[in-house]
Amino acid sequence: MKKVAIVLALALGLGGAAVSAKENAKETVVFTVVPKMTCQNCVNKIKTNIRFEKGVNEITPDLKAQKVTVTYDPAKTNKEKLGEAFKKIGYKATAVGE
């Protein structure tokens, strides 16, 4: 009986871990934006507005490299929706490599 309880507990624990890993899935995309970011105010505008988009976990604008890195939950958003969010604040965002 004790072995059955242990096997059942392990099975339930592993199943929960699989769901948890799926819930914590993250993807990262790097965008270039037009018009170019020219100052810290541009960086702040992008960072402040895009971070409120559903599913965004982290946003890192890089003024020197002229790139914006966004880490997001693919179950809640995607590259296209993020591109639309940039459009709302006056930028055209293009994913690097596309």
Side-chain angles (χ1 to χ4, degrees), residues 8 16 23 55 63 74 80 89 91 93:
L8 183 59
E23 289 173 358
L63 183 61
E80 292 76 22
I89 59 170
Y91 290 91

Side-chain angles (χ1 to χ4, degrees), residues 16-77:
V19 170
S20 179
K22 195 178 219 181
E23 289 173 358
N24 292 329
K26 293 181 184 175
E27 289 187 18
T28 300
V29 61
V30 178
F31 291 104
T32 57
V33 293
V34 176
K36 289 185 175 186
M37 298 178 286
T38 57
C39 62
Q40 192 60 42
N41 286 335
C42 299
V43 169
N44 292 341
K45 178 180 180 179
I46 290 171
K47 193 170 187 174
T48 300
N49 287 283
I50 302 301
R51 72 182 172 140
F52 288 112
E53 288 299 312
K54 187 175 182 180
V56 172
N57 299 109
E58 186 177 344
I59 181 163
T60 310
D62 185 339
L63 183 61
K64 189 173 182 178
Q66 289 295 309
K67 298 197 185 318
V68 180
T69 304
V70 181
T71 303
Y72 63 95
D73 180 347
K76 296 181 180 178
T77 193

